[in-house]
Amino acid sequence: MQAGDTFNDTDVMYLQMMIAHHEQGLEMVRIAEKSSRRGEIKTLAEAVDVTQVDEIAMMENWLEGWSKPTTVDHDPGMHTAHGGLPATGPREMATLRRTKGTGFDATFLNLFVAHQHNAVEMAAMEKSGGVNSEAKAFAERVRASRADQIKQMLNLLNS
């Protein structure tokens, strides 16, 4: 899928931030694929893994087509005006890696709900400020799919 030649700084920033966000999401779901004891959480993690690998390739392709970098400045102060970088910090990731047994699933679900909420917020930024029709359509798909994942994870937390 090609994104076309019309884009603005918001489109570029959104894709760069989403690549970083997806990379962290992949790290999280790959931990869950190995550590969760619940089949439905492993299935969710595997589905997210496949989807986000494909989405990263697409976003990198678009940015490269626009001759823009595929990485983002990881200085948190650079991104506070538009929602910041992924909300899951090194401390939370370390906790996720070392949590085992029955506590793992709740830890993962709580962190991943927050992580996917961040994706929804970033998609809203793109939809309101971007100009590229493909990037905006992608943002809408992200908003809808991550909102559905959040509902699914909240149900898993409550079951």
PDB file of all heavy atoms in Angstrom, residues 84-125:
ATOM      1  N   GLY A  84       3.475  12.644  23.900  1.00  0.00           N
ATOM      2  CA  GLY A  84       4.643  11.937  24.390  1.00  0.00           C
ATOM      3  C   GLY A  84       4.887  10.612  23.713  1.00  0.00           C
ATOM      4  O   GLY A  84       4.154  10.178  22.842  1.00  0.00           O
ATOM      5  N   LEU A  85       5.957   9.994  24.131  1.00  0.00           N
ATOM      6  CA  LEU A  85       6.328   8.674  23.629  1.00  0.00           C
ATOM      7  C   LEU A  85       5.603   7.607  24.430  1.00  0.00           C
ATOM      8  O   LEU A  85       4.876   7.915  25.370  1.00  0.00           O
ATOM      9  CB  LEU A  85       7.851   8.515  23.715  1.00  0.00           C
ATOM     10  CG  LEU A  85       8.616   9.327  22.668  1.00  0.00           C
ATOM     11  CD1 LEU A  85      10.117   9.258  22.949  1.00  0.00           C
ATOM     12  CD2 LEU A  85       8.327   8.836  21.274  1.00  0.00           C
ATOM     13  N   PRO A  86       5.803   6.342  24.083  1.00  0.00           N
ATOM     14  CA  PRO A  86       5.095   5.273  24.793  1.00  0.00           C
ATOM     15  C   PRO A  86       5.124   5.435  26.314  1.00  0.00           C
ATOM     16  O   PRO A  86       6.148   5.773  26.892  1.00  0.00           O
ATOM     17  CB  PRO A  86       5.846   4.013  24.350  1.00  0.00           C
ATOM     18  CG  PRO A  86       6.322   4.357  22.980  1.00  0.00           C
ATOM     19  CD  PRO A  86       6.687   5.831  23.051  1.00  0.00           C
ATOM     20  N   ALA A  87       3.972   5.184  26.911  1.00  0.00           N
ATOM     21  CA  ALA A  87       3.789   5.451  28.331  1.00  0.00           C
ATOM     22  C   ALA A  87       4.446   4.408  29.223  1.00  0.00           C
ATOM     23  O   ALA A  87       4.635   4.647  30.406  1.00  0.00           O
ATOM     24  CB  ALA A  87       2.290   5.527  28.640  1.00  0.00           C
ATOM     25  N   THR A  88       4.798   3.270  28.680  1.00  0.00           N
ATOM     26  CA  THR A  88       5.367   2.207  29.475  1.00  0.00           C
ATOM     27  C   THR A  88       6.873   2.414  29.560  1.00  0.00           C
ATOM     28  O   THR A  88       7.583   2.273  28.566  1.00  0.00           O
ATOM     29  CB  THR A  88       5.046   0.830  28.856  1.00  0.00           C
ATOM     30  OG1 THR A  88       3.649   0.780  28.581  1.00  0.00           O
ATOM     31  CG2 THR A  88       5.436  -0.285  29.798  1.00  0.00           C
ATOM     32  N   GLY A  89       7.334   2.772  30.756  1.00  0.00           N
ATOM     33  CA  GLY A  89       8.737   3.098  30.932  1.00  0.00           C
ATOM     34  C   GLY A  89       9.586   1.889  31.278  1.00  0.00           C
ATOM     35  O   GLY A  89       9.081   0.767  31.419  1.00  0.00           O
ATOM     36  N   PRO A  90      10.879   2.110  31.428  1.00  0.00           N
ATOM     37  CA  PRO A  90      11.802   1.012  31.734  1.00  0.00           C
ATOM     38  C   PRO A  90      11.453   0.264  33.023  1.00  0.00           C
ATOM     39  O   PRO A  90      11.601  -0.949  33.096  1.00  0.00           O
ATOM     40  CB  PRO A  90      13.161   1.706  31.862  1.00  0.00           C
ATOM     41  CG  PRO A  90      13.010   3.009  31.152  1.00  0.00           C
ATOM     42  CD  PRO A  90      11.561   3.380  31.230  1.00  0.00           C
ATOM     43  N   ARG A  91      10.973   0.972  34.015  1.00  0.00           N
ATOM     44  CA  ARG A  91      10.613   0.324  35.282  1.00  0.00           C
ATOM     45  C   ARG A  91       9.446  -0.642  35.089  1.00  0.00           C
ATOM     46  O   ARG A  91       9.463  -1.770  35.592  1.00  0.00           O
ATOM     47  CB  ARG A  91      10.281   1.388  36.330  1.00  0.00           C
ATOM     48  CG  ARG A  91      10.029   0.816  37.701  1.00  0.00           C
ATOM     49  CD  ARG A  91       9.830   1.892  38.721  1.00  0.00           C
ATOM     50  NE  ARG A  91       9.286   3.097  38.082  1.00  0.00           N
ATOM     51  CZ  ARG A  91       8.783   4.124  38.702  1.00  0.00           C
ATOM     52  NH1 ARG A  91       8.760   4.149  39.995  1.00  0.00           N
ATOM     53  NH2 ARG A  91       8.300   5.160  38.055  1.00  0.00           N
ATOM     54  N   GLU A  92       8.437  -0.200  34.342  1.00  0.00           N
ATOM     55  CA  GLU A  92       7.280  -1.068  34.094  1.00  0.00           C
ATOM     56  C   GLU A  92       7.669  -2.281  33.251  1.00  0.00           C
ATOM     57  O   GLU A  92       7.207  -3.389  33.490  1.00  0.00           O
ATOM     58  CB  GLU A  92       6.153  -0.287  33.401  1.00  0.00           C
ATOM     59  CG  GLU A  92       5.498   0.758  34.273  1.00  0.00           C
ATOM     60  CD  GLU A  92       6.205   2.108  34.258  1.00  0.00           C
ATOM     61  OE1 GLU A  92       7.244   2.257  33.571  1.00  0.00           O
ATOM     62  OE2 GLU A  92       5.730   3.020  34.942  1.00  0.00           O
ATOM     63  N   MET A  93       8.548  -2.050  32.269  1.00  0.00           N
ATOM     64  CA  MET A  93       8.998  -3.166  31.435  1.00  0.00           C
ATOM     65  C   MET A  93       9.791  -4.172  32.269  1.00  0.00           C
ATOM     66  O   MET A  93       9.638  -5.385  32.095  1.00  0.00           O
ATOM     67  CB  MET A  93       9.839  -2.660  30.253  1.00  0.00           C
ATOM     68  CG  MET A  93       9.023  -1.891  29.223  1.00  0.00           C
ATOM     69  SD  MET A  93       7.682  -2.841  28.466  1.00  0.00           S
ATOM     70  CE  MET A  93       8.603  -4.091  27.598  1.00  0.00           C
ATOM     71  N   ALA A  94      10.624  -3.681  33.180  1.00  0.00           N
ATOM     72  CA  ALA A  94      11.385  -4.581  34.050  1.00  0.00           C
ATOM     73  C   ALA A  94      10.445  -5.389  34.942  1.00  0.00           C
ATOM     74  O   ALA A  94      10.649  -6.591  35.146  1.00  0.00           O
ATOM     75  CB  ALA A  94      12.385  -3.788  34.887  1.00  0.00           C
ATOM     76  N   THR A  95       9.413  -4.740  35.454  1.00  0.00           N
ATOM     77  CA  THR A  95       8.424  -5.445  36.270  1.00  0.00           C
ATOM     78  C   THR A  95       7.735  -6.530  35.456  1.00  0.00           C
ATOM     79  O   THR A  95       7.556  -7.657  35.926  1.00  0.00           O
ATOM     80  CB  THR A  95       7.382  -4.456  36.834  1.00  0.00           C
ATOM     81  OG1 THR A  95       8.047  -3.516  37.675  1.00  0.00           O
ATOM     82  CG2 THR A  95       6.285  -5.166  37.614  1.00  0.00           C
ATOM     83  N   LEU A  96       7.362  -6.216  34.235  1.00  0.00           N
ATOM     84  CA  LEU A  96       6.702  -7.198  33.372  1.00  0.00           C
ATOM     85  C   LEU A  96       7.619  -8.394  33.125  1.00  0.00           C
ATOM     86  O   LEU A  96       7.182  -9.539  33.208  1.00  0.00           O
ATOM     87  CB  LEU A  96       6.287  -6.557  32.051  1.00  0.00           C
ATOM     88  CG  LEU A  96       5.508  -7.453  31.085  1.00  0.00           C
ATOM     89  CD1 LEU A  96       4.185  -7.897  31.699  1.00  0.00           C
ATOM     90  CD2 LEU A  96       5.274  -6.728  29.761  1.00  0.00           C
ATOM     91  N   ARG A  97       8.888  -8.131  32.852  1.00  0.00           N
ATOM     92  CA  ARG A  97       9.832  -9.220  32.572  1.00  0.00           C
ATOM     93  C   ARG A  97      10.022 -10.155  33.770  1.00  0.00           C
ATOM     94  O   ARG A  97      10.205 -11.347  33.597  1.00  0.00           O
ATOM     95  CB  ARG A  97      11.196  -8.647  32.169  1.00  0.00           C
ATOM     96  CG  ARG A  97      11.278  -8.275  30.729  1.00  0.00           C
ATOM     97  CD  ARG A  97      12.714  -7.890  30.346  1.00  0.00           C
ATOM     98  NE  ARG A  97      12.678  -6.872  29.331  1.00  0.00           N
ATOM     99  CZ  ARG A  97      12.676  -5.562  29.567  1.00  0.00           C
ATOM    100  NH1 ARG A  97      12.748  -5.096  30.784  1.00  0.00           N
ATOM    101  NH2 ARG A  97      12.601  -4.717  28.569  1.00  0.00           N
ATOM    102  N   ARG A  98      10.004  -9.589  34.967  1.00  0.00           N
ATOM    103  CA  ARG A  98      10.292 -10.442  36.129  1.00  0.00           C
ATOM    104  C   ARG A  98       9.045 -10.996  36.818  1.00  0.00           C
ATOM    105  O   ARG A  98       9.158 -11.848  37.681  1.00  0.00           O
ATOM    106  CB  ARG A  98      11.208  -9.730  37.105  1.00  0.00           C
ATOM    107  CG  ARG A  98      10.612  -8.672  37.931  1.00  0.00           C
ATOM    108  CD  ARG A  98      11.572  -8.120  38.992  1.00  0.00           C
ATOM    109  NE  ARG A  98      10.947  -6.985  39.588  1.00  0.00           N
ATOM    110  CZ  ARG A  98      11.126  -5.738  39.204  1.00  0.00           C
ATOM    111  NH1 ARG A  98      11.975  -5.446  38.251  1.00  0.00           N
ATOM    112  NH2 ARG A  98      10.469  -4.766  39.779  1.00  0.00           N
ATOM    113  N   THR A  99       7.852 -10.543  36.438  1.00  0.00           N
ATOM    114  CA  THR A  99       6.632 -11.060  37.046  1.00  0.00           C
ATOM    115  C   THR A  99       6.330 -12.435  36.473  1.00  0.00           C
ATOM    116  O   THR A  99       6.298 -12.626  35.260  1.00  0.00           O
ATOM    117  CB  THR A  99       5.445 -10.112  36.815  1.00  0.00           C
ATOM    118  OG1 THR A  99       5.779  -8.833  37.353  1.00  0.00           O
ATOM    119  CG2 THR A  99       4.188 -10.629  37.477  1.00  0.00           C
ATOM    120  N   LYS A 100       6.102 -13.377  37.337  1.00  0.00           N
ATOM    121  CA  LYS A 100       5.837 -14.761  36.922  1.00  0.00           C
ATOM    122  C   LYS A 100       4.567 -15.249  37.604  1.00  0.00           C
ATOM    123  O   LYS A 100       4.059 -14.646  38.533  1.00  0.00           O
ATOM    124  CB  LYS A 100       7.008 -15.678  37.321  1.00  0.00           C
ATOM    125  CG  LYS A 100       8.366 -15.235  36.821  1.00  0.00           C
ATOM    126  CD  LYS A 100       8.483 -15.352  35.319  1.00  0.00           C
ATOM    127  CE  LYS A 100       9.881 -14.920  34.866  1.00  0.00           C
ATOM    128  NZ  LYS A 100       9.888 -14.259  33.606  1.00  0.00           N
ATOM    129  N   GLY A 101       4.101 -16.363  37.121  1.00  0.00           N
ATOM    130  CA  GLY A 101       2.978 -17.027  37.771  1.00  0.00           C
ATOM    131  C   GLY A 101       1.672 -16.293  37.599  1.00  0.00           C
ATOM    132  O   GLY A 101       1.427 -15.611  36.598  1.00  0.00           O
ATOM    133  N   THR A 102       0.821 -16.415  38.628  1.00  0.00           N
ATOM    134  CA  THR A 102      -0.535 -15.886  38.533  1.00  0.00           C
ATOM    135  C   THR A 102      -0.584 -14.370  38.417  1.00  0.00           C
ATOM    136  O   THR A 102      -1.544 -13.828  37.887  1.00  0.00           O
ATOM    137  CB  THR A 102      -1.372 -16.328  39.752  1.00  0.00           C
ATOM    138  OG1 THR A 102      -0.717 -15.874  40.937  1.00  0.00           O
ATOM    139  CG2 THR A 102      -1.530 -17.844  39.788  1.00  0.00           C
ATOM    140  N   GLY A 103       0.409 -13.676  38.883  1.00  0.00           N
ATOM    141  CA  GLY A 103       0.411 -12.216  38.795  1.00  0.00           C
ATOM    142  C   GLY A 103       0.755 -11.675  37.425  1.00  0.00           C
ATOM    143  O   GLY A 103       0.495 -10.506  37.136  1.00  0.00           O
ATOM    144  N   PHE A 104       1.324 -12.520  36.562  1.00  0.00           N
ATOM    145  CA  PHE A 104       1.771 -12.017  35.263  1.00  0.00           C
ATOM    146  C   PHE A 104       0.621 -11.478  34.427  1.00  0.00           C
ATOM    147  O   PHE A 104       0.706 -10.390  33.861  1.00  0.00           O
ATOM    148  CB  PHE A 104       2.525 -13.078  34.451  1.00  0.00           C
ATOM    149  CG  PHE A 104       2.881 -12.559  33.094  1.00  0.00           C
ATOM    150  CD1 PHE A 104       4.012 -11.779  32.917  1.00  0.00           C
ATOM    151  CD2 PHE A 104       2.045 -12.777  32.000  1.00  0.00           C
ATOM    152  CE1 PHE A 104       4.315 -11.240  31.680  1.00  0.00           C
ATOM    153  CE2 PHE A 104       2.343 -12.247  30.754  1.00  0.00           C
ATOM    154  CZ  PHE A 104       3.478 -11.472  30.593  1.00  0.00           C
ATOM    155  N   ASP A 105      -0.454 -12.236  34.304  1.00  0.00           N
ATOM    156  CA  ASP A 105      -1.532 -11.854  33.393  1.00  0.00           C
ATOM    157  C   ASP A 105      -2.126 -10.492  33.746  1.00  0.00           C
ATOM    158  O   ASP A 105      -2.332  -9.654  32.863  1.00  0.00           O
ATOM    159  CB  ASP A 105      -2.613 -12.936  33.347  1.00  0.00           C
ATOM    160  CG  ASP A 105      -2.113 -14.212  32.670  1.00  0.00           C
ATOM    161  OD1 ASP A 105      -1.194 -14.122  31.825  1.00  0.00           O
ATOM    162  OD2 ASP A 105      -2.634 -15.286  32.994  1.00  0.00           O
ATOM    163  N   ALA A 106      -2.392 -10.252  35.019  1.00  0.00           N
ATOM    164  CA  ALA A 106      -2.949  -8.953  35.416  1.00  0.00           C
ATOM    165  C   ALA A 106      -1.947  -7.832  35.163  1.00  0.00           C
ATOM    166  O   ALA A 106      -2.324  -6.743  34.704  1.00  0.00           O
ATOM    167  CB  ALA A 106      -3.362  -8.982  36.886  1.00  0.00           C
ATOM    168  N   THR A 107      -0.680  -8.090  35.431  1.00  0.00           N
ATOM    169  CA  THR A 107       0.348  -7.077  35.176  1.00  0.00           C
ATOM    170  C   THR A 107       0.408  -6.740  33.692  1.00  0.00           C
ATOM    171  O   THR A 107       0.395  -5.571  33.306  1.00  0.00           O
ATOM    172  CB  THR A 107       1.724  -7.566  35.678  1.00  0.00           C
ATOM    173  OG1 THR A 107       1.637  -7.822  37.083  1.00  0.00           O
ATOM    174  CG2 THR A 107       2.814  -6.547  35.408  1.00  0.00           C
ATOM    175  N   PHE A 108       0.468  -7.776  32.860  1.00  0.00           N
ATOM    176  CA  PHE A 108       0.513  -7.556  31.409  1.00  0.00           C
ATOM    177  C   PHE A 108      -0.722  -6.809  30.932  1.00  0.00           C
ATOM    178  O   PHE A 108      -0.620  -5.821  30.195  1.00  0.00           O
ATOM    179  CB  PHE A 108       0.644  -8.884  30.652  1.00  0.00           C
ATOM    180  CG  PHE A 108       0.406  -8.723  29.172  1.00  0.00           C
ATOM    181  CD1 PHE A 108       1.361  -8.112  28.367  1.00  0.00           C
ATOM    182  CD2 PHE A 108      -0.784  -9.148  28.594  1.00  0.00           C
ATOM    183  CE1 PHE A 108       1.131  -7.929  27.005  1.00  0.00           C
ATOM    184  CE2 PHE A 108      -1.016  -8.974  27.241  1.00  0.00           C
ATOM    185  CZ  PHE A 108      -0.056  -8.364  26.441  1.00  0.00           C
ATOM    186  N   LEU A 109      -1.890  -7.276  31.317  1.00  0.00           N
ATOM    187  CA  LEU A 109      -3.131  -6.655  30.826  1.00  0.00           C
ATOM    188  C   LEU A 109      -3.218  -5.192  31.241  1.00  0.00           C
ATOM    189  O   LEU A 109      -3.589  -4.339  30.420  1.00  0.00           O
ATOM    190  CB  LEU A 109      -4.348  -7.444  31.307  1.00  0.00           C
ATOM    191  CG  LEU A 109      -4.527  -8.818  30.654  1.00  0.00           C
ATOM    192  CD1 LEU A 109      -5.607  -9.612  31.380  1.00  0.00           C
ATOM    193  CD2 LEU A 109      -4.833  -8.710  29.168  1.00  0.00           C
ATOM    194  N   ASN A 110      -2.897  -4.889  32.486  1.00  0.00           N
ATOM    195  CA  ASN A 110      -2.945  -3.495  32.930  1.00  0.00           C
ATOM    196  C   ASN A 110      -1.970  -2.623  32.143  1.00  0.00           C
ATOM    197  O   ASN A 110      -2.324  -1.511  31.708  1.00  0.00           O
ATOM    198  CB  ASN A 110      -2.677  -3.398  34.429  1.00  0.00           C
ATOM    199  CG  ASN A 110      -3.906  -3.712  35.233  1.00  0.00           C
ATOM    200  OD1 ASN A 110      -4.937  -3.061  35.098  1.00  0.00           O
ATOM    201  ND2 ASN A 110      -3.817  -4.730  36.074  1.00  0.00           N
ATOM    202  N   LEU A 111      -0.753  -3.105  31.942  1.00  0.00           N
ATOM    203  CA  LEU A 111       0.229  -2.326  31.190  1.00  0.00           C
ATOM    204  C   LEU A 111      -0.170  -2.196  29.724  1.00  0.00           C
ATOM    205  O   LEU A 111      -0.023  -1.126  29.127  1.00  0.00           O
ATOM    206  CB  LEU A 111       1.612  -2.970  31.295  1.00  0.00           C
ATOM    207  CG  LEU A 111       2.316  -2.832  32.631  1.00  0.00           C
ATOM    208  CD1 LEU A 111       3.612  -3.639  32.638  1.00  0.00           C
ATOM    209  CD2 LEU A 111       2.596  -1.367  32.950  1.00  0.00           C
ATOM    210  N   PHE A 112      -0.699  -3.274  29.151  1.00  0.00           N
ATOM    211  CA  PHE A 112      -1.017  -3.231  27.731  1.00  0.00           C
ATOM    212  C   PHE A 112      -2.285  -2.425  27.454  1.00  0.00           C
ATOM    213  O   PHE A 112      -2.400  -1.824  26.380  1.00  0.00           O
ATOM    214  CB  PHE A 112      -1.087  -4.644  27.139  1.00  0.00           C
ATOM    215  CG  PHE A 112      -0.730  -4.678  25.690  1.00  0.00           C
ATOM    216  CD1 PHE A 112       0.518  -4.256  25.248  1.00  0.00           C
ATOM    217  CD2 PHE A 112      -1.637  -5.124  24.746  1.00  0.00           C
ATOM    218  CE1 PHE A 112       0.854  -4.274  23.905  1.00  0.00           C
ATOM    219  CE2 PHE A 112      -1.310  -5.150  23.395  1.00  0.00           C
ATOM    220  CZ  PHE A 112      -0.062  -4.718  22.969  1.00  0.00           C
ATOM    221  N   VAL A 113      -3.210  -2.380  28.382  1.00  0.00           N
ATOM    222  CA  VAL A 113      -4.365  -1.479  28.233  1.00  0.00           C
ATOM    223  C   VAL A 113      -3.866  -0.038  28.135  1.00  0.00           C
ATOM    224  O   VAL A 113      -4.273   0.720  27.244  1.00  0.00           O
ATOM    225  CB  VAL A 113      -5.375  -1.652  29.398  1.00  0.00           C
ATOM    226  CG1 VAL A 113      -6.337  -0.477  29.472  1.00  0.00           C
ATOM    227  CG2 VAL A 113      -6.144  -2.952  29.248  1.00  0.00           C
ATOM    228  N   ALA A 114      -2.968   0.344  29.043  1.00  0.00           N
ATOM    229  CA  ALA A 114      -2.425   1.705  29.012  1.00  0.00           C
ATOM    230  C   ALA A 114      -1.647   1.954  27.723  1.00  0.00           C
ATOM    231  O   ALA A 114      -1.761   3.021  27.102  1.00  0.00           O
ATOM    232  CB  ALA A 114      -1.531   1.943  30.227  1.00  0.00           C
ATOM    233  N   HIS A 115      -0.880   0.964  27.306  1.00  0.00           N
ATOM    234  CA  HIS A 115      -0.095   1.076  26.080  1.00  0.00           C
ATOM    235  C   HIS A 115      -1.010   1.288  24.866  1.00  0.00           C
ATOM    236  O   HIS A 115      -0.766   2.184  24.045  1.00  0.00           O
ATOM    237  CB  HIS A 115       0.743  -0.201  25.906  1.00  0.00           C
ATOM    238  CG  HIS A 115       1.589  -0.201  24.687  1.00  0.00           C
ATOM    239  ND1 HIS A 115       2.820   0.421  24.630  1.00  0.00           N
ATOM    240  CD2 HIS A 115       1.385  -0.757  23.465  1.00  0.00           C
ATOM    241  CE1 HIS A 115       3.332   0.255  23.437  1.00  0.00           C
ATOM    242  NE2 HIS A 115       2.486  -0.461  22.701  1.00  0.00           N
ATOM    243  N   GLN A 116      -2.063   0.513  24.763  1.00  0.00           N
ATOM    244  CA  GLN A 116      -2.966   0.634  23.615  1.00  0.00           C
ATOM    245  C   GLN A 116      -3.791   1.922  23.696  1.00  0.00           C
ATOM    246  O   GLN A 116      -4.154   2.482  22.667  1.00  0.00           O
ATOM    247  CB  GLN A 116      -3.845  -0.603  23.473  1.00  0.00           C
ATOM    248  CG  GLN A 116      -3.060  -1.869  23.133  1.00  0.00           C
ATOM    249  CD  GLN A 116      -2.263  -1.779  21.846  1.00  0.00           C
ATOM    250  OE1 GLN A 116      -1.359  -0.954  21.694  1.00  0.00           O
ATOM    251  NE2 GLN A 116      -2.588  -2.639  20.904  1.00  0.00           N
ATOM    252  N   HIS A 117      -4.068   2.386  24.904  1.00  0.00           N
ATOM    253  CA  HIS A 117      -4.752   3.675  25.040  1.00  0.00           C
ATOM    254  C   HIS A 117      -3.885   4.784  24.445  1.00  0.00           C
ATOM    255  O   HIS A 117      -4.391   5.702  23.787  1.00  0.00           O
ATOM    256  CB  HIS A 117      -5.074   3.973  26.506  1.00  0.00           C
ATOM    257  CG  HIS A 117      -5.715   5.299  26.694  1.00  0.00           C
ATOM    258  ND1 HIS A 117      -7.022   5.548  26.339  1.00  0.00           N
ATOM    259  CD2 HIS A 117      -5.223   6.471  27.152  1.00  0.00           C
ATOM    260  CE1 HIS A 117      -7.307   6.816  26.589  1.00  0.00           C
ATOM    261  NE2 HIS A 117      -6.228   7.394  27.079  1.00  0.00           N
ATOM    262  N   ASN A 118      -2.575   4.692  24.656  1.00  0.00           N
ATOM    263  CA  ASN A 118      -1.660   5.666  24.079  1.00  0.00           C
ATOM    264  C   ASN A 118      -1.768   5.647  22.556  1.00  0.00           C
ATOM    265  O   ASN A 118      -1.742   6.693  21.905  1.00  0.00           O
ATOM    266  CB  ASN A 118      -0.226   5.351  24.543  1.00  0.00           C
ATOM    267  CG  ASN A 118       0.739   6.476  24.252  1.00  0.00           C
ATOM    268  OD1 ASN A 118       0.958   6.809  23.104  1.00  0.00           O
ATOM    269  ND2 ASN A 118       1.338   7.015  25.292  1.00  0.00           N
ATOM    270  N   ALA A 119      -1.906   4.461  21.957  1.00  0.00           N
ATOM    271  CA  ALA A 119      -2.062   4.358  20.497  1.00  0.00           C
ATOM    272  C   ALA A 119      -3.338   5.053  20.034  1.00  0.00           C
ATOM    273  O   ALA A 119      -3.346   5.716  18.990  1.00  0.00           O
ATOM    274  CB  ALA A 119      -2.068   2.892  20.066  1.00  0.00           C
ATOM    275  N   VAL A 120      -4.406   4.905  20.792  1.00  0.00           N
ATOM    276  CA  VAL A 120      -5.673   5.564  20.459  1.00  0.00           C
ATOM    277  C   VAL A 120      -5.495   7.082  20.486  1.00  0.00           C
ATOM    278  O   VAL A 120      -5.970   7.796  19.588  1.00  0.00           O
ATOM    279  CB  VAL A 120      -6.800   5.101  21.413  1.00  0.00           C
ATOM    280  CG1 VAL A 120      -8.058   5.938  21.238  1.00  0.00           C
ATOM    281  CG2 VAL A 120      -7.097   3.616  21.201  1.00  0.00           C
ATOM    282  N   GLU A 121      -4.795   7.578  21.503  1.00  0.00           N
ATOM    283  CA  GLU A 121      -4.559   9.021  21.617  1.00  0.00           C
ATOM    284  C   GLU A 121      -3.702   9.533  20.459  1.00  0.00           C
ATOM    285  O   GLU A 121      -3.973  10.600  19.895  1.00  0.00           O
ATOM    286  CB  GLU A 121      -3.892   9.346  22.956  1.00  0.00           C
ATOM    287  CG  GLU A 121      -4.785   9.104  24.160  1.00  0.00           C
ATOM    288  CD  GLU A 121      -6.010   9.993  24.147  1.00  0.00           C
ATOM    289  OE1 GLU A 121      -5.882  11.201  23.872  1.00  0.00           O
ATOM    290  OE2 GLU A 121      -7.107   9.477  24.406  1.00  0.00           O
ATOM    291  N   MET A 122      -2.672   8.787  20.091  1.00  0.00           N
ATOM    292  CA  MET A 122      -1.820   9.199  18.987  1.00  0.00           C
ATOM    293  C   MET A 122      -2.599   9.184  17.673  1.00  0.00           C
ATOM    294  O   MET A 122      -2.405  10.053  16.807  1.00  0.00           O
ATOM    295  CB  MET A 122      -0.576   8.303  18.918  1.00  0.00           C
ATOM    296  CG  MET A 122       0.361   8.571  20.085  1.00  0.00           C
ATOM    297  SD  MET A 122       1.756   7.432  20.343  1.00  0.00           S
ATOM    298  CE  MET A 122       2.040   6.632  18.832  1.00  0.00           C
ATOM    299  N   ALA A 123      -3.487   8.223  17.500  1.00  0.00           N
ATOM    300  CA  ALA A 123      -4.311   8.161  16.287  1.00  0.00           C
ATOM    301  C   ALA A 123      -5.216   9.382  16.191  1.00  0.00           C
ATOM    302  O   ALA A 123      -5.422   9.935  15.097  1.00  0.00           O
ATOM    303  CB  ALA A 123      -5.130   6.869  16.274  1.00  0.00           C
ATOM    304  N   ALA A 124      -5.745   9.820  17.315  1.00  0.00           N
ATOM    305  CA  ALA A 124      -6.598  11.016  17.309  1.00  0.00           C
ATOM    306  C   ALA A 124      -5.804  12.243  16.862  1.00  0.00           C
ATOM    307  O   ALA A 124      -6.329  13.094  16.117  1.00  0.00           O
ATOM    308  CB  ALA A 124      -7.202  11.238  18.700  1.00  0.00           C
ATOM    309  N   MET A 125      -4.543  12.323  17.291  1.00  0.00           N
ATOM    310  CA  MET A 125      -3.680  13.435  16.875  1.00  0.00           C
ATOM    311  C   MET A 125      -3.513  13.426  15.351  1.00  0.00           C
ATOM    312  O   MET A 125      -3.635  14.455  14.696  1.00  0.00           O
ATOM    313  CB  MET A 125      -2.315  13.327  17.553  1.00  0.00           C
ATOM    314  CG  MET A 125      -1.323  14.370  17.112  1.00  0.00           C
ATOM    315  SD  MET A 125       0.403  13.894  17.377  1.00  0.00           S
ATOM    316  CE  MET A 125       0.599  12.509  16.256  1.00  0.00           C
TER     317      MET A 125
END
